[in-house]
Amino acid sequence: MQRLIIVTGASRGIGATIAIHANQKFSSKTIFLLIARDQQKLSDVKSQMESQSPLNVILSMSIDFALDLNKDQIITLIQQNFADIQFNNVKELFIFYNHGTLRLEPIESAEETKKQEFQINVFSVWTLICAFKDLFPIEKIPLQFHINISSLMATLALKNYSSYCTTRSARATLFRCLSVEEPRLRVLNYQPGPVYTDMQRQIYENREAHFSDSYKELYEQGKFVQPEQTVERLWHILIKNEFESGSVMDFYDPE
């Protein structure tokens, strides 16, 4: 195998689309590790990918990132899934840190759940980065892409979005720091644009959400970005490989 692709939050939405698109793009010589909490939906994505590209190796594992797992625990879980896999010929590594949650509530209410929100959206990502660095040293796999699926919310301040905006901002900063500390890695913060996902539906239907008239109009008129569109754009950026490591790139950025 020449390529290893790891996707968190791979059971639905952008994460599932990243995995399925990559499986079609690289129809052989690729190992996938799909990670998500929902084992049933993860199995559905895995089955679809296996039928599409039988020459690839598709592995999946269920992890609840709300749990405070340390680096060694994560490494053990991954090694158990990779027990029969050889990495001697792997030349490229793509890791998509896609999992996350959205909670809409005032700052006073968010104070009660802040630890869990940071655990899922920031601390678990921090632990994964450290675990993957130990598992896949850059000396053995010299071409590595670490991609944070970010959000425009990382740069904004909106009513009732304190948890989401704050954790997304912290997460993006973490990846910028990673690019400075590990200059041989290719690190990207990717903002996928307003994409039709379960999360966007959650925002639209939540009475605590405060969004602009233009947002409502785009959503109701079907003008949001489709998952396949933003994922195709992301892979174009990665394959071209001309971005500044640690930078932020948005779906709407010019070529």
Side-chain angles (χ1 to χ4, degrees):
M1 297 293 176
Q2 295 182 351
R3 187 178 302 105
L4 171 60
I5 298 177
I6 301 173
V7 186
T8 72
S11 62
R12 60 182 181 171
I14 294 176
T17 306
I18 289 171
I20 292 168
H21 184 94
N23 192 46
Q24 295 170 333
K25 188 178 188 66
F26 308 113
S27 58
S28 65
K29 300 181 180 180
T30 303
I31 304 168
F32 287 86
L33 176 59
L34 311 179
I35 303 174
R37 181 180 58 182
D38 191 323
Q39 183 62 65
Q40 182 56 58
K41 290 184 178 180
L42 199 57
S43 296
D44 293 342
V45 174
K46 181 176 184 290
S47 297
Q48 180 180 346
M49 292 173 64
E50 287 173 335
S51 64
Q52 287 175 337
S53 302
L55 297 179
N56 286 333
V57 175
I58 317 295
L59 305 171
S60 65
M61 59 185 292
S62 175
I63 296 181
D64 185 353
F65 288 115
L67 301 176
D68 186 12
L69 301 175
N70 63 38
K71 181 183 71 170
D72 291 338
Q73 290 172 312
I74 293 290
I75 289 174
T76 298
L77 287 171
I78 293 174
Q79 286 176 331
Q80 290 172 350
N81 282 268
F82 280 151
D84 300 322
I85 304 298
Q86 298 296 322
F87 296 103
N88 297 335
N89 296 321
V90 171
K91 306 299 182 185
E92 297 178 337
L93 171 62
F94 296 86
I95 306 176
F96 297 87
Y97 303 82
N98 171 68
H99 68 279
T101 58
L102 170 67
R103 183 184 291 272
L104 299 175
E105 55 191 0
I107 290 175
E108 292 83 357
S109 301
E111 193 277 332
E112 299 176 2
T113 58
K114 64 183 184 298
K115 289 184 179 180
Q116 184 179 48
E117 291 302 297
F118 268 84
Q119 170 57 38
I120 297 172
N121 295 295
V122 182
F123 299 149
S124 67
V125 175
W126 203 318
T127 303
L128 281 174
I129 290 172
C130 296
F132 290 141
K133 283 178 63 180
D134 283 4
L135 284 165
F136 311 113
I138 196 165
E139 291 76 16
K140 293 185 177 180
I141 307 179
L143 183 57
Q144 297 193 17
F145 295 83
H146 290 249
I147 304 101
N148 173 37
I149 303 303
S150 187
S151 169
L152 182 62
M153 297 295 185
T155 65
L156 300 178
L158 298 175
K159 183 178 180 180
N160 291 342
Y161 284 80
S162 60
S163 289
Y164 191 68
C165 291
T166 303
T167 55
R168 286 292 166 174
S169 178
R171 185 159 154 170
T173 301
L174 174 63
F175 279 84
R176 289 197 297 271
C177 291
L178 176 63
S179 71
V180 173
E181 293 188 12
E182 300 289 345
R184 290 179 293 176
L185 298 179
R186 304 291 289 136
V187 180
L188 177 65
N189 284 299
Y190 180 67
Q191 297 178 171
V195 183
Y196 279 111
T197 61
D198 290 344
M199 185 175 288
Q200 289 293 350
R201 186 174 67 252
Q202 179 184 351
I203 293 173
Y204 181 78
E205 296 175 352
N206 194 308
R207 62 184 180 84
E208 298 293 341
H210 291 261
F211 45 77
S212 65
D213 290 340
S214 61
Y215 175 98
K216 182 179 180 180
E217 181 180 345
L218 287 172
Y219 186 94
E220 293 177 345
Q221 293 183 1
K223 295 181 180 179
F224 269 26
V225 180
Q226 295 297 329
E228 294 78 11
Q229 291 177 286
T230 196
V231 168
E232 184 174 354
R233 170 75 169 132
L234 173 57
W235 273 110
H236 175 75
I237 292 169
L238 296 175
I239 298 303
K240 194 174 181 181
N241 196 16
E242 294 180 352
F243 61 89
E244 180 183 354
S245 189
S247 63
V248 177
M249 296 200 70
D250 190 274
F251 172 78
Y252 291 109
D253 285 345
E255 292 284 343

